Amino acid sequence: MKIDLKSMTRKELEKLLSDIDRELQRTIERDKKAATAAARKAAREHGFELSEIADAPKLAKSQKKPTKKSAVPKYANPADKGQNWTGKGRQPQWYKDKIAAGKTPDDLLI
């Protein structure tokens, strides 16, 4: 069946679109039910209920990977010891200002 979209009015196209959306949702729900039934059957064949294994991927994702250790600060602002920098990445403004004012990186070491 071929539909000549060019000859249809806007109203006819909107109705067709609505019908397609409705049928697509029905098809998705039908496919979900079929997939759930197949998964339930496979779980039972292995001696489980689907609810017992359905959370397995979530559990695997929730197990956190070891985090990287934070780098130890190497430089500190003499005017405010709370401002420090590891020496990696972008230079903070206070560091740039001190270097421009004549300080050396060694002067700012912690």
Side-chain angles (χ1 to χ4, degrees):
M1 174 173 133
K2 186 171 179 168
I3 300 173
D4 184 14
L5 299 176
K6 292 181 181 180
S7 67
M8 295 177 77
T9 67
R10 183 179 54 85
K11 290 278 188 189
E12 291 171 331
L13 289 169
E14 288 173 348
K15 168 98 170 72
L16 179 61
L17 183 59
S18 173
D19 292 345
I20 290 170
D21 284 342
R22 188 172 36 256
E23 191 57 37
L24 181 60
Q25 289 307 314
R26 286 182 191 150
T27 303
I28 289 170
E29 288 304 315
R30 185 181 65 233
D31 290 349
K32 281 182 183 179
K33 287 179 183 177
T36 302
R40 188 171 286 120
K41 180 181 176 188
R44 285 186 183 138
E45 288 173 358
H46 290 359
F48 295 100
E49 288 298 318
L50 185 57
S51 61
E52 293 178 287
I53 61 171
D55 290 334
K58 292 178 187 173
L59 292 174
K61 287 182 182 177
S62 69
Q63 295 172 350
K64 295 183 179 180
K65 296 178 183 176
T67 57
K68 293 181 181 180
K69 292 183 179 180
S70 297
V72 178
K74 188 174 178 181
Y75 302 98
N77 183 351
D80 181 0
K81 295 292 183 185
Q83 293 180 328
N84 52 50
W85 178 50
T86 63
K88 297 179 182 177
R90 195 169 163 181
Q91 295 175 343
Q93 190 61 48
W94 64 262
Y95 181 85
K96 291 178 187 178
D97 293 343
K98 297 295 180 187
I99 297 298
K103 294 274 188 182
T104 65
D106 289 341
D107 294 335
L108 303 174
L109 284 173
I110 294 178

